[in-house]
Amino acid sequence: MTHLAEGESLTAADVSWSVDGQHILAGVDVQVPTGSFTGLLGPNGSGKSTLLRGLARLGKLDEGVVHIGSDNVHRLPRRALARRLALVEQNSATDIDLRVLDVVLLGRTPHRAALQADSATDRAIAVHQLERVDLAHLAHRRWSTLSGGEQQRVHLARAMTQEPSLLVLDEPTNHLDVGHALQLLAMVQHSGLTVLAALHDLNLAAAFCDHLVVLHQGRVAASGPPEQVFTADLLAEVYGVEADVDLHPRTGRPHLWFHPPMVPH
Amino acid sequence: MSLPSVSRAERRTDAPAGTGGPLGLVFLLALALLAGSVVVSVALGQSDLSVREVWTVATERLGLGWLRIDLFGLHGAEGLTELRANLVWEMRLPRVLTAALVGGGLAVVGAVMQTLTRNPMADPYLLGISSGASLGAVAVIVAGLSLGSLGVAGGAFLGALGAFVLVLALGQRSGRLTPTRMILAGVAVGAFASAVTSFLIIWVADPHATQEAQFWLSGSLASARLPTVYTMAAAVLVGLLVCGFAARGLNAFAFGEDTAASLGIDVQRVRWVLLVVCALVTGVLVAGSGTIGFVGLLIPHAVRALVGPDHRRVLPLSALVGAVFLIWVDVVARIAFEPRDLPVGIMTAMLGVPVFLWILRRKVDR
Ligand SMILES: Nc1ncnc2c1ncn2[C@@H]1O[C@H](COP(=O)(O)OP(=O)(O)O)[C@@H](O)[C@H]1O
Ligand SMILES: [Mg+2]
C-alpha cells in the first residue's frame, strides 16, 4: 500500500480574529511551502490553536485570506477541503464506544458517498496508517481503553487516512514519550506531505522543522529557518527565558540550552 | 459512585461487533420478527382471533386472496363474520401497525438526537419535544381550524420543532450543549407544554376533557385508525430515508462537530435537516398516538450494545427493534389487565425510567 503523497502549499495573509474587542490574532501572515515541515511556536495563549482552526476553516476569522495551493480555503466545499487538508486537534474526545479501527476509518468519510460501504481499500489504508503510528496491534481495542498518547497517535492515523496533501497538527506530541515523539515527527517529516504543526518542545522543532513561525500575543514575532529564528533575544522576548543557542553535535541543527530562572526568596 | 473507575477499562477490551461484519442475518432476523409480530399480535386480544383469520382478512383486503392458499396451507377461515373481519381490518391491524410505526420512528429519532446533541439521554419525550407536539396538535384542534388530521399533524410538527429549538437554545451555555442542562431544559419545556395542553383542553370544556387530556399526556394506541397509519407511514419513511443518507455523516460526529467539519461534513446543514426531520417524525407520531416516552432512549442503547455504534447499522436496526418492542408492549397493555386497556405510554415509562437512571449513572454522571 504505497500512496504517493504530494504536498500543497498553504498561505495565510493578514489573518485577524478578535473576541470581546480583544485581538487574539492580529494581521498574521503564514507561508507553508509545498512539502515543508513548518513549526508553529509560541507560548501558551499566543493564538496557535486559534490560528490552526482558522486555517482549517473551523473557527471563523474576522479578516484574512487562506489559500491551499491556488484555491481559497473559504470557497472550497467542505468535502473537497477535507480531502486536501487534515487536522489533528489538541483535544478530541468521545464517549462513544468506538474501536480504534473505526476511528481511523472515519478518515475515509470525505472520500465516500453517503450510502457507500467501506471498501477493502479503505480498510487497507486505515490499517497501513495504524502501522505507521505503530498501533496496528490495537486495531480492535476500544477507544476508551487507550492511553492519551495512543489516542493522539490514532488521531494522526485517522488524519493520514484522509490522504490529504496538507497535515495540520496541534501539539501532536504533547502526550507522547520521547521515543514515540521522535518517531511521529520523523514519520510526518518523511511523509511527503506539507506539514504545519504547533509544537512546544523547541529542540524538537529545531531538529525536525525546515521552517518556523513564532507567534507572540497574536502576532508573528519571527519566521524563517530555525537557525535564523532561534536567537537569545527572541527567546527572551517571546518566552521570557534566558537561553544559549548552540549547534547539535550530530545533526548540526540549532540546539537550545535553557537557564533556570532566578527565583526570589 | 463507590467503585473506582478502573474497572471501566478492564471490563471488555473488544467492542461489541466488528466493523462491517456480516450483519445481513441480524437484519433478516429482525425483519422476520417484525412480520411475525404483526400477524400474531393482531390475533391477540379480548375476542380471540386465530392467526389464520388474520391472514385471511389481510390478504383478502389487500387483493392478495391467492396467497392464503399457498402459504402454510391455510384455508379460508370458515365462519369468519363480517364483524370479525372488520375487527381485524378496522381495529386490530391499525393499532398494531401504529405501534410498529411509533416504536420504529421514535427509536430512530432518539438515536439521531443522541448523536446530534452528544447526549446519551436524548429522547423526544425527555427533551420535551413530544409535549411540544401535543401542544401544537391540541392548539390546532382547539382553534377549530378544520384542517383535518393532516392539519393536526402539521400543528404537532410545528410544536415539536418549536420545542426542539427552544431546548437547544436553553440547553447550551456559551455555545456548548451540556447533557444535564439540556435534560433540565427539556423537562421545563415539556412541563410547560403539557400544562398549556391540559389548560387548552379543559378551557374548551369538552365533556370528555380529562380522557382527552390523558391521551395527549401519556399516549395511547387505542384510537388508532387506518388513515392515520398512512400519514405515519409516510413520515416514518421520509425520516428513515433522510437519516439513512445521513448515517455515515453521523458517525463523523463521534468526536464532536469540529471533527465532523474537518472530515468534510457540512455540520450546520446536517444539523438543521435532521432537526426538522426529527420534529416531523415526532410531530406526526404524536398527533396519532399522544406522547409515548422512553422508546427513543431504550431501543438505540440496546441496539448499540448489540451491534456497536455505527449508525449504518444502528438506525435501520433501531427502526425494526423499536417496532417489535412497541407492538409487544402494547399487546401487554391491552390484554394483561383486561378489561382495562392501559395507555401504552404508561408501560414504556415504567420500563424506561430504570434504564434512564442506569444511563445517567453510567454515562453522564462521571
Ligand atoms: N472563544 C474564545 N473566547 C475567548 N477567548 C478565546 C477564545 N478562543 C481562544 N481564546 C483566547 O485566545 C488566546 C489564544 O488561545 P489559543 O489559540 O488556544 O492559544 P495557544 O494554542 O497558542 O495556547 C487565549 O488567551 C485564549 O484564552
Ligand atoms: Mg493550543
Side-chain angles (χ1 to χ4, degrees):
Chain A
M1 173 72 28
T2 44
H3 169 66
L4 286 182
E6 260 181 67
E8 284 187 281
S9 66
L10 181 79
T11 47
D14 200 21
V15 168
S16 297
W17 186 65
S18 53
V19 61
D20 302 332
Q22 195 190 346
H23 283 290
I24 308 295
L25 296 171
V28 172
D29 291 311
V30 175
Q31 299 212 358
V32 183
T34 307
S36 74
F37 185 167
T38 297
L40 182 62
L41 309 180
N44 298 136
S46 55
K48 302 183 293 297
S49 298
T50 308
L51 177 62
L52 294 183
R53 287 170 50 80
L55 299 181
R57 220 177 99 188
L58 290 188
K60 48 199 175 316
L61 298 172
D62 296 335
E63 273 171 63
V65 191
V66 183
H67 279 88
I68 177 167
S70 56
D71 294 310
N72 186 328
V73 161
H74 290 265
R75 298 238 176 87
L76 283 174
R78 277 250 177 248
R79 243 165 87 83
L81 180 62
R83 280 181 287 209
R84 291 165 71 175
L85 185 155
L87 171 73
V88 177
E89 288 206 80
Q90 206 170 345
N91 300 305
S92 206
T94 186
D95 289 335
I96 296 172
D97 195 13
L98 291 163
R99 294 187 317 159
V100 169
L101 192 59
D102 296 331
V103 175
V104 181
L105 273 170
L106 286 179
R108 300 309 293 163
T109 308
H111 294 275
R112 291 289 169 261
L115 296 181
Q116 227 173 351
D118 298 318
S119 67
T121 319
D122 292 328
R123 224 163 280 271
I125 294 168
V127 169
H128 174 64
Q129 298 302 347
L130 262 184
E131 280 164 3
R132 291 178 78 178
V133 296
D134 206 14
L135 287 177
H137 59 291
L138 296 186
H140 298 280
R141 272 274 290 279
R142 289 175 172 222
W143 173 259
S144 57
T145 65
L146 301 190
S147 76
E150 287 165 343
Q151 291 185 344
Q152 209 161 21
R153 283 148 62 203
V154 173
H155 270 307
L156 179 65
R158 186 265 302 158
M160 301 286 288
T161 301
Q162 284 176 249
E163 299 193 311
S165 44
L166 186 83
L167 205 51
V168 177
L169 310 173
D170 199 348
E171 298 189 28
T173 57
N174 65 345
H175 286 299
L176 304 191
D177 61 73
V178 61
H180 282 115
L182 291 170
Q183 188 190 13
L184 184 145
L185 292 175
M187 193 270 272
V188 297
Q189 184 186 31
H190 293 115
S191 64
L193 305 177
T194 307
V195 182
L196 174 62
L199 294 169
H200 265 309
D201 187 319
L202 304 186
N203 281 317
L204 282 183
F208 285 96
C209 296
D210 319 305
H211 190 80
L212 296 175
V213 175
V214 183
L215 280 187
H216 183 39
Q217 294 170 357
R219 292 170 196 279
V220 176
S223 70
E227 50 273 24
Q228 282 176 25
V229 166
F230 285 136
T231 62
D233 286 346
L234 178 102
L235 293 166
E237 180 204 329
V238 172
Y239 287 96
V241 297
E242 204 184 320
D244 289 323
V245 184
D246 198 358
L247 290 184
H248 191 288
R250 298 260 296 265
T251 63
R253 299 276 198 146
H255 188 88
L256 312 182
W257 299 97
F258 298 105
H259 304 285
M262 301 297 255
V263 180
H265 286 287
Chain B
M1 267 166 270
S2 51
L3 285 176
S5 61
V6 187
S7 59
R8 190 181 302 281
E10 290 169 352
R11 205 170 288 130
R12 257 166 70 197
T13 43
D14 265 355
T19 316
L23 266 179
L25 200 67
V26 179
F27 278 107
L28 282 180
L29 210 76
L31 208 59
L33 201 65
L34 175 58
S37 298
V38 170
V39 176
V40 173
S41 62
V42 170
L44 297 172
Q46 275 180 13
S47 52
D48 259 330
L49 293 159
S50 68
V51 169
R52 174 192 294 180
E53 285 174 310
V54 173
W55 187 262
T56 307
V57 174
T59 48
E60 242 156 36
R61 298 275 169 126
L62 290 170
L64 300 168
W66 48 274
L67 260 177
R68 72 170 200 263
I69 307 157
D70 300 329
L71 269 146
F72 320 121
L74 292 174
H75 303 291
E78 296 81 23
L80 182 63
T81 61
E82 190 64 24
L83 195 73
R84 285 166 77 77
N86 279 342
L87 174 65
V88 170
W89 193 251
E90 309 286 338
M91 311 283 288
R92 293 277 179 83
L93 197 63
R95 180 157 182 173
V96 168
L97 292 180
T98 302
L101 288 166
V102 172
L106 290 180
V108 170
V109 168
V112 169
M113 281 174 29
Q114 282 151 28
T115 299
L116 223 50
T117 60
R118 297 193 96 192
N119 182 350
M121 292 187 296
D123 166 88
Y125 175 74
L126 285 170
L127 291 188
I129 295 155
S130 300
S131 305
S134 279
L135 176 55
V138 169
V140 168
I141 295 169
V142 166
L145 303 172
S146 44
L147 300 169
S149 67
L150 270 181
V152 177
F157 162 57
L158 292 180
L161 193 61
F164 204 168
V165 171
L166 198 60
V167 168
L168 287 176
L170 295 172
Q172 68 178 350
R173 178 156 223 163
S174 50
R176 297 234 160 264
L177 280 171
T178 60
T180 11
R181 200 180 160 90
M182 220 182 140
I183 291 292
L184 292 176
V187 168
V189 170
F192 184 73
S194 296
V196 178
T197 303
S198 303
F199 171 77
L200 284 181
I201 292 170
I202 291 160
W203 182 42
V204 216
D206 189 278
H208 306 294
T210 42
Q211 204 183 335
E212 180 85 5
Q214 171 73 21
F215 168 80
W216 289 109
L217 298 182
S218 70
S220 163
L221 301 170
S223 58
R225 294 294 175 268
L226 262 189
T228 346
V229 170
Y230 298 136
T231 324
M232 285 186 177
V236 170
L237 197 69
V238 168
L240 269 177
L241 278 176
V242 174
C243 295
F245 271 96
R248 185 188 265 277
L250 281 170
N251 287 343
F253 279 76
F255 289 91
E257 293 183 354
D258 283 345
T259 305
S262 80
L263 287 167
I265 306 294
D266 188 338
V267 170
Q268 289 307 327
R269 203 182 69 190
V270 169
R271 203 159 56 163
W272 276 102
V273 167
L274 291 181
L275 196 139
V276 170
V277 165
C278 283
L280 175 74
V281 174
T282 308
V284 172
L285 295 180
V286 168
S289 67
T291 53
I292 295 172
F294 297 96
V295 179
L297 183 77
L298 278 168
I299 303 301
H301 281 282
V303 168
R304 282 189 207 102
L306 203 68
V307 300
D310 190 332
H311 289 83
R312 289 169 293 183
R313 296 160 160 193
V314 170
L315 298 183
L317 213 53
S318 290
L320 293 173
V321 174
V324 172
F325 170 79
L326 204 63
I327 286 177
W328 288 107
V329 173
D330 187 50
V331 165
V332 173
R334 65 176 206 244
I335 66 176
F337 310 96
E338 268 175 10
R340 293 172 199 83
D341 189 345
L342 230 59
V344 71
I346 293 178
M347 302 283 297
T348 57
M350 291 195 296
L351 290 167
V353 168
V355 176
F356 172 78
L357 294 174
W358 176 79
I359 296 166
L360 185 66
R361 254 193 83 162
R362 275 283 301 271
K363 312 212 167 185
V364 181
D365 209 17
R366 294 241 170 112

